[in-house]
Amino acid sequence: GDRGGVARRSSPLAPEQAGVFAERAFAKKEVLFEERPWLASQLVRNRHEVLACSACLAPVGSVEQSVDLLVGAVSPSEAGAAPADWKLLWAAANDEEATSCPVKCRCGETFCSQACFDTSAHLSLCVAELSDDGAEDAPLFRFKTHALQTNELYLLAGKTIARMALLVDSTDQQNCFDSLFPLLSMIGEPLWSFALPDDREVVNVTVEAHREGLQKEALESLHLLRLALKAQGPKQGVSRLEQAGVLDAVFWGALLGSFQINNFGILGDSKLKQYLSSLSKEATRRTSAIAPAAGGGEGDGEAAQSPAQEVAADAAASADELQRRLGALGSARGRGGAERDERGGALPEEGRQQLSVLDLLRQEDTFCPRLDGLGVFPLTAAVNHSCDPNAKVSIVVGKAGLRAKLVALRPIAPGEEIVHAYIDKNLPAGMRAKR
């Protein structure tokens, strides 16, 4: 991304770590810089609801494919592999024609392009080659299962190691260093040296016991990852990482610690929600367009629809189709979307109240859930906290992929440190200090 005008160097706010400083003057609302993630990952549970690129998290596939995934007509491993067997008549003005996903791995993961597939190092952690017999005993399967049962941060760290090995194996020394430096500059203390039990655990476990358990869990994850990489046969990139200590407990713990502190939660509108939003605006804008043209007399026959009326009719038909397909989802999930009889059972379709597009949008958790994931943005992570920030961070998810954007909240002078609020600055001071 564009990072001109800012530089990273030692910060007086946090002498033990770096900060980001303005190299020139910035006006209020001016973009300070944009950054693409060094690595991003969609949460596994979210893959059952939203179709996105496994590398950059850009929306992929068609709206119809997104609906099929959400209602369970296809599994996550099948989603996007083939065009849906139904079609919405209305096409949103900002939607690109998409009948299938560009790259679909045999393991079921989806990528928006061959470039995303190649640079993600996906094949190093792909389970497609595991045979059905004994797959559950394979180290790679055990590594992924362990991460899903404990902490998905281990998956993010595993992907990082795989990508580091790919860079070491495929680029010259200088380019490799340039690619790895942003990530390595984030490395700090091991996760188990500062982690605290959450509010639900604090009454049942001491801090020391929590950290000991976390260290044991994290090292088990590393053990399984090393076995998985070893099972794939000798690879120069992995061997060089081993020699550099990257696969040791110290680096693994520090990598997890940096991700725990510096990862950014990603929430973005899915392709389905974008379509529903456009459909709602279209319905509002063309409310009168579907009415028959005025002026026709008896015997004139039915008046031909204008192009605007045809578009409005297609939009209305598409809304009806989505309401029908998504309406059953509320009853299947047991939250909204379908009326209930006296015993709590779902009413038959003819007995249900019709859902509007606005109803679908208002109940987004059920009918158009958002993309949910994690991203690693090294430069953005170096921006320090202040309760009097001069910048605001936003995570943008779009067709061009994922990026972090920093925008000035007020004029910023050359040499001034760029800071943003890690928490809601409107919270009481005591609560901010606790967080």
Side-chain angles (χ1 to χ4, degrees):
D2 180 12
R3 305 176 194 178
V6 302
R8 177 178 171 144
R9 58 176 183 265
S10 180
S11 167
L13 289 177
E16 72 283 359
Q17 64 190 50
V20 178
F21 292 79
E23 296 275 273
R24 63 173 179 83
F26 287 92
K28 182 178 180 179
K29 297 185 179 180
E30 186 176 356
V31 176
L32 301 170
F33 67 85
E34 294 189 9
E35 181 183 21
R36 295 191 181 279
W38 199 92
L39 193 75
S41 182
Q42 184 181 10
L43 296 184
V44 173
R45 68 175 182 274
N46 191 243
R47 295 176 189 171
H48 292 261
E49 302 175 327
V50 177
L51 192 55
C53 175
S54 291
C56 72
L57 305 192
V60 291
S62 65
V63 176
E64 293 88 346
Q65 289 170 323
S66 297
V67 172
D68 281 350
L69 172 64
L70 185 59
V71 301
V74 295
S75 68
S77 61
E78 298 168 329
D85 59 4
W86 57 284
K87 183 72 176 174
L88 293 167
L89 296 176
W90 183 76
N94 62 350
D95 188 41
E96 295 177 351
E97 182 67 22
T99 56
S100 63
C101 299
V103 179
K104 188 78 177 180
C105 182
R106 290 192 299 114
C107 72
E109 291 202 32
T110 309
F111 297 85
C112 67
S113 66
Q114 188 65 44
C116 266
F117 178 81
D118 292 339
T119 59
S120 69
H122 167 71
L123 291 179
S124 296
L125 296 177
C126 179
V127 297
E129 297 301 322
L130 299 181
S131 62
D132 292 337
D133 295 334
E136 293 184 1
D137 296 325
L140 180 57
F141 186 90
R142 291 166 58 201
F143 166 73
K144 290 195 167 186
T145 301
H146 176 268
L148 294 180
Q149 292 174 344
T150 55
N151 191 337
E152 285 195 40
L153 211 59
Y154 301 142
L155 283 181
L156 191 65
K159 288 183 177 182
T160 301
I161 297 295
R163 190 175 174 211
M164 290 176 71
L166 177 66
L167 287 169
V168 169
D169 204 25
S170 61
T171 61
D172 60 58
Q173 186 173 350
Q174 184 60 47
N175 287 333
C176 180
F177 176 80
D178 291 343
S179 298
L180 290 177
F181 177 77
L183 175 73
L184 296 177
S185 65
M186 295 171 53
I187 301 300
E189 297 297 319
L191 174 61
W192 49 79
S193 70
F194 62 84
L196 296 173
D198 61 31
D199 292 339
R200 293 168 298 177
E201 299 174 319
V202 70
V203 296
N204 298 318
V205 65
T206 65
V207 171
E208 292 76 13
H210 172 75
R211 291 177 178 175
E212 288 177 4
L214 183 58
Q215 182 178 15
K216 181 179 179 181
E217 176 188 282
L219 294 183
E220 172 66 13
S221 175
L222 173 61
H223 172 67
L224 293 173
L225 176 62
R226 294 186 66 167
L227 289 177
L229 294 175
K230 185 177 180 180
Q232 296 174 4
K235 291 185 178 180
Q236 183 179 3
V238 174
S239 297
R240 290 172 66 183
L241 291 184
E242 282 186 311
Q243 294 169 7
V246 170
L247 293 178
D248 290 348
V250 173
F251 184 87
W252 181 252
L255 184 65
L256 292 171
S258 68
F259 285 176
Q260 177 70 24
I261 295 173
N262 296 314
N263 81 77
F264 286 81
I266 296 163
L267 285 175
D269 289 344
S270 65
K271 180 164 284 191
L272 174 57
K273 184 173 182 180
Q274 294 170 3
Y275 183 88
L276 286 170
S277 297
S278 297
L279 196 59
S280 177
K281 293 175 183 177
E282 176 69 18
T284 301
R285 189 167 64 90
R286 298 185 182 274
T287 300
S288 60
I290 58 174
E298 291 185 9
D300 291 339
E302 186 176 345
Q305 286 188 325
S306 68
Q309 288 174 322
E310 291 178 359
V311 170
D314 286 348
S318 297
D320 289 343
E321 181 68 16
L322 287 175
Q323 290 158 7
R324 183 182 70 81
R325 290 181 179 271
L326 294 174
L329 188 62
S331 60
R333 294 188 176 187
R335 54 184 193 206
E339 292 185 353
R340 303 282 166 177
D341 61 23
E342 293 179 355
R343 291 172 295 182
L347 290 172
E349 188 168 344
E350 61 272 15
R352 300 177 191 167
Q353 181 179 356
Q354 181 70 9
L355 289 165
S356 69
V357 171
L358 284 177
D359 290 330
L360 300 178
L361 285 168
R362 290 188 186 112
Q363 301 179 58
E364 68 171 26
D365 285 350
T366 297
F367 299 111
C368 49
R370 305 181 76 188
L371 170 71
D372 194 359
L374 300 172
V376 178
F377 300 87
L379 183 61
T380 306
V383 178
N384 286 312
H385 165 78
S386 173
C387 289
D388 182 24
N390 57 16
K392 180 180 180 181
V393 176
S394 59
I395 306 298
V396 181
V397 182
K399 294 176 183 177
L402 180 66
R403 66 190 188 278
K405 178 191 290 187
L406 266 80
V407 177
L409 295 175
R410 56 173 173 77
I412 298 176
E416 184 177 352
E417 182 170 4
I418 297 166
V419 290
H420 75 101
Y422 289 4
I423 58 176
D424 186 353
K425 63 180 182 179
N426 294 316
L427 290 173
M431 188 174 295
R432 293 203 307 269
K434 182 179 178 181
R435 294 192 177 188

